[in-house]
Amino acid sequence: MPEIKETKAQKVERLKREKNAWEHLDEIRSFARAGFNSIPPEWLGTYFRSWGVYTQGDGAGVTGGVGGEGKSTPFFMMRIRIPNGLLATHQLRTIAEITQQHARGVADITVRQNVQLHWVTIESLPEVLDQLYRAGLTTTGACGDVARAVTGCPLAGLDADEIYDASPLALELDRHFAGNAEFYNLPRKFKMSITGCRVWCSYPEINDVGFTAVTRKRLSGTETGFSVRIGGGLSTEPHLAARLNAFIRPEQVLPVARGVAEIFKASDELRQNRKQARLKYLFLKHGYTPDSFLAELEDRIGFKLDSAEHEDPPADVYRDHVGVHGQKQHSVSYVGAAVLRGRITPDQMRTAATLAERFADGHVRTTVMQNLLIVNIPNQHADDVASELQSSGLPVGGTPFLRGTVACTGSEYCKLALTETKGFARWLVGELEERLPGFDQQLKLNITGCPNSCGQHWIADLGIEGKKIKVDGRMQDAYYFCVGGAVGQFQSIARPVGYRCLATEVPDAIERLLNQFQLVRSSGENLRQFFARHSNDEIRSLLSGEIQPPVDRDLAIGSVPHGVEG
């Protein structure tokens, strides 16, 4: 009788059932003593991920390997879990020290407020984990089929216009799920966001569970609680989260989050195919509606939820928190620095820590736009902090291109990427600043190195997706254009417009498009409105400079596994 071979999904599910890697730090220590060659495949491919660790690529990405995945090197990427983006300066200094000693000085702030390191060796991994633990930090659950770090507004408790300080709830959620064996074996990653700010800067629309603060009138006054959205996610099949008809009181947030995670965990239909294992596929493939999900959730948690209240999703606003701004506290401000493409050096981290200790109360915060904030600065010192950050290469302000550009890890380190993104992002911003010096529209320019959308190109004004084009017999980096993505009041998945060009030609295409926008836009018209009133054919002609037939949005060479976004 022929042997029945396990599918990839079956293998991963079996491995997760057989071992909770969080209980086996001793094995990691033994690998460190014996060297990289002692690590079995199941650790490299599965178990390390739940520790926030996964193998680093060789710089060629997908095209350097087989089966839609590039070759591995004997080095690791490591993600540090930073719930709500909250960091004390001693923690930032620890990250800076680890980055310098163990990661060749390479660290990135991710699109989920975490910090990702590169070049970590198995020999240094236990020491890195121990250093982080002593600083009150962890990598547990920063990757893998588990509950990821909870994101939230980095100005929670500080924003003068916030509805509610949700950071205590964010930290409660994160403490409950991080390292919790009940939620070790989920079908795939599980992402949560909770915010009390009015601009929804943590993007609840693309989380598995997104709580947003809302108030309702009661006989005794007003009461603050939360709306909840379920099943958001991007990757190759983007889905904006569905809002449930429910008002969640603060004390109900944890039971509701647990209930959703339990539904996810119990969904065996999501364990059959790794590419369709996210919570959103209950809505996309398995017939769930907001009403049916709510009914199952209420059965799971054992109580009825009140009906939803009216809410006001934010319109087009920057969500990057860059600049010098007053806080709700009297006579203090925060200073937000734009960290281009999220890459930050140990010296820049130390500078930020020193400034936060010297002029403020020793706290910094990270954002989903890959930026860094120093908070609680007396107003008289805010300009000094801004000036010193600027001198260290962390500009406070800048052009729309500097502020609005986001980039994923790319083929520099990621085995799943088709294109290099970080260096490309820096070059592209410089080109656009030089070519369009007077451009003053807010712009989200998101760069992703493959269809997995770790760079979140589906929710960008201009989203470009990494591809390959063969030129003179050689495969070269290229990008495919999508336009009109948005979250909030005008939420929409970006439209693929059928235009693709070499990476070296991207500045030309964007320059043509934005120049034409400035020439022909209606009075007061913004980019979102401009894109909405132009067809894909028209946008493609503006990008290319001539009438061109559409190019298919081909999905890369071979199948591409789901991404490893931050």
Side-chain angles (χ1 to χ4, degrees):
M1 193 169 178
E3 180 182 355
I4 299 175
K5 186 177 180 180
E6 282 184 313
T7 66
K8 182 176 181 179
Q10 289 169 338
K11 178 180 179 181
V12 172
E13 291 301 320
R14 174 176 58 79
L15 290 173
K16 289 187 296 181
R17 289 193 302 270
E18 290 175 353
K19 179 183 292 186
N20 178 345
W22 290 333
E23 299 172 350
H24 294 275
L25 179 59
D26 57 325
E27 290 191 48
I28 296 178
R29 296 189 188 281
S30 70
F31 301 149
R33 291 190 295 270
F36 186 86
N37 290 335
S38 69
I39 307 172
E42 59 267 26
W43 270 92
L44 292 173
T46 301
Y47 294 137
F48 268 132
R49 295 192 176 209
S50 59
W51 280 95
V53 173
Y54 46 101
T55 51
Q56 183 169 296
D58 64 354
V62 169
T63 56
V66 294
E69 187 165 320
K71 295 178 182 177
S72 298
T73 65
F75 299 96
F76 296 102
M77 297 191 282
M78 165 183 277
R79 193 172 299 143
I80 302 167
R81 189 180 184 115
I82 304 175
N84 209 116
L86 305 179
L87 277 172
T89 51
H90 76 89
Q91 294 173 319
L92 186 60
R93 288 185 184 281
T94 295
I95 296 172
E97 188 69 19
I98 291 171
T99 303
Q100 182 167 310
Q101 288 188 354
H102 302 290
R104 298 190 186 179
V106 181
D108 297 321
I109 301 173
T110 78
V111 292
R112 289 191 64 79
Q113 299 178 289
N114 298 315
V115 173
Q116 183 169 285
L117 308 182
H118 302 280
W119 298 110
V120 177
T121 65
I122 187 60
E123 289 80 7
S124 64
L125 184 54
E127 181 181 347
V128 170
L129 294 173
D130 289 344
Q131 282 184 258
L132 290 171
Y133 179 79
R134 289 194 294 269
L137 295 167
T138 183
T139 66
T140 303
C143 303
D145 297 351
V146 296
R148 304 292 181 86
V150 179
T151 60
C153 177
L155 295 178
L158 311 178
D159 179 12
D161 197 37
E162 75 179 353
I163 299 170
Y164 186 84
D165 176 7
S167 58
L169 289 171
L171 295 178
E172 180 184 16
L173 285 174
D174 202 78
R175 284 192 299 268
H176 183 79
F177 284 94
N180 186 339
E182 289 183 79
F183 302 102
Y184 172 76
N185 180 10
L186 299 177
R188 286 288 293 199
K189 67 189 83 170
F190 184 69
K191 297 180 177 180
M192 292 176 284
S193 165
I194 182 166
T195 184
C197 75
R198 296 183 187 274
V199 300
W200 297 4
C201 63
S202 57
Y203 298 156
E205 303 94 335
I206 59 171
N207 278 263
D208 294 287
V209 185
F211 296 99
T212 51
V214 63
T215 57
R216 65 178 179 180
K217 293 181 179 179
R218 312 299 283 171
L219 290 176
S220 57
T222 60
E223 179 185 10
T224 300
F226 295 90
S227 295
V228 63
R229 285 170 168 76
I230 302 295
L234 297 178
S235 195
T236 55
E237 293 185 86
H239 180 255
L240 297 174
R243 188 188 183 207
L244 302 188
N245 182 20
F247 178 89
I248 315 297
R249 296 188 181 94
E251 66 272 16
Q252 295 173 330
V253 165
L254 179 56
V256 166
R258 269 193 64 99
V260 177
E262 288 169 355
I263 291 172
F264 183 40
K265 182 178 179 180
S267 300
D268 287 338
E269 62 269 43
L270 297 180
R271 296 182 184 270
Q272 309 309 310
N273 183 342
R274 295 288 292 172
K275 294 180 182 179
Q276 296 183 2
R278 293 290 302 279
L279 184 66
K280 66 183 179 182
Y281 285 102
L282 291 181
F283 296 90
L284 288 172
K285 302 290 184 182
H286 299 290
Y288 275 67
T289 66
D291 287 344
S292 65
F293 192 95
L294 176 60
E296 185 169 340
L297 175 62
E298 289 177 332
D299 285 345
R300 177 76 60 169
I301 62 180
F303 57 86
K304 290 287 185 182
L305 297 166
D306 291 348
S307 296
E309 294 292 321
H310 171 76
E311 66 177 0
D312 296 305
D316 286 342
V317 291
Y318 272 126
R319 300 187 184 189
D320 61 359
H321 301 302
V322 168
V324 179
H325 303 277
Q327 299 177 189
K328 67 166 62 174
Q329 293 80 9
H330 180 65
S331 299
V332 294
S333 298
Y334 75 88
V335 174
V339 184
L340 178 57
R341 70 230 168 97
R343 184 145 296 173
I344 188 167
T345 69
D347 284 345
Q348 288 172 329
M349 286 187 262
R350 293 189 189 100
T351 295
T354 297
L355 292 172
E357 292 162 351
R358 179 181 171 195
F359 292 111
D361 65 349
H363 289 90
V364 297
R365 301 188 177 188
T366 55
T367 83
V368 299
M369 286 286 287
Q370 303 177 306
N371 296 325
L372 187 70
L373 316 181
I374 298 177
V375 301
N376 299 322
I377 306 166
N379 289 344
Q380 65 269 28
H381 298 310
D383 288 342
D384 293 329
V385 171
S387 177
E388 294 205 33
L389 285 172
Q390 186 89 25
S391 297
S392 74
L394 297 173
V396 177
T399 67
F401 308 114
L402 174 66
R403 291 180 60 172
T405 297
V406 166
C408 73
T409 299
S411 61
E412 181 183 16
Y413 299 118
C414 179
K415 297 180 296 181
L416 309 184
L418 287 158
T419 58
E420 192 281 324
T421 57
K422 294 292 191 182
F424 172 76
R426 180 174 59 184
W427 170 76
L428 177 60
V429 167
E431 287 289 314
L432 295 176
E433 287 178 334
E434 183 177 332
R435 297 171 185 224
L436 298 158
F439 191 78
D440 61 358
Q441 285 279 307
Q442 65 166 311
L443 172 71
K444 284 190 67 184
L445 173 56
N446 289 41
I447 303 166
T448 192
C450 77
N452 292 313
S453 194
C454 300
Q456 301 178 341
H457 71 301
W458 291 121
I459 57 169
D461 297 302
L462 272 175
I464 57 175
E465 178 185 304
K467 301 294 181 186
K468 288 291 187 183
I469 294 179
K470 184 172 285 188
V471 179
D472 297 329
R474 295 180 59 236
M475 301 303 291
Q476 296 191 28
D477 283 6
Y479 283 94
Y480 186 96
F481 282 74
C482 303
V483 305
V487 285
Q489 183 178 346
F490 306 105
Q491 69 174 32
S492 179
I493 296 298
R495 296 150 35 203
V497 298
Y499 181 69
R500 180 185 61 191
C501 66
L502 289 170
T504 53
E505 298 170 357
V506 168
D508 299 330
I510 295 178
E511 180 184 12
R512 285 190 290 263
L513 177 65
L514 296 185
N515 270 335
Q516 193 66 14
F517 161 72
Q518 294 185 111
L519 283 173
V520 305
R521 66 176 171 171
S522 305
S523 177
E525 185 177 42
N526 60 27
L527 267 174
R528 175 184 53 78
Q529 294 163 329
F530 179 80
F531 290 146
R533 71 176 178 89
H534 284 79
S535 69
N536 289 349
D537 289 345
E538 290 170 327
I539 296 295
R540 187 169 61 254
S541 295
L542 294 177
L543 286 164
S544 65
E546 60 186 12
I547 296 175
Q548 282 192 0
V551 175
D552 288 338
R553 183 183 156 259
D554 57 297
L555 289 182
I557 304 163
S559 62
V560 180
H562 272 41
V564 289
E565 69 269 25

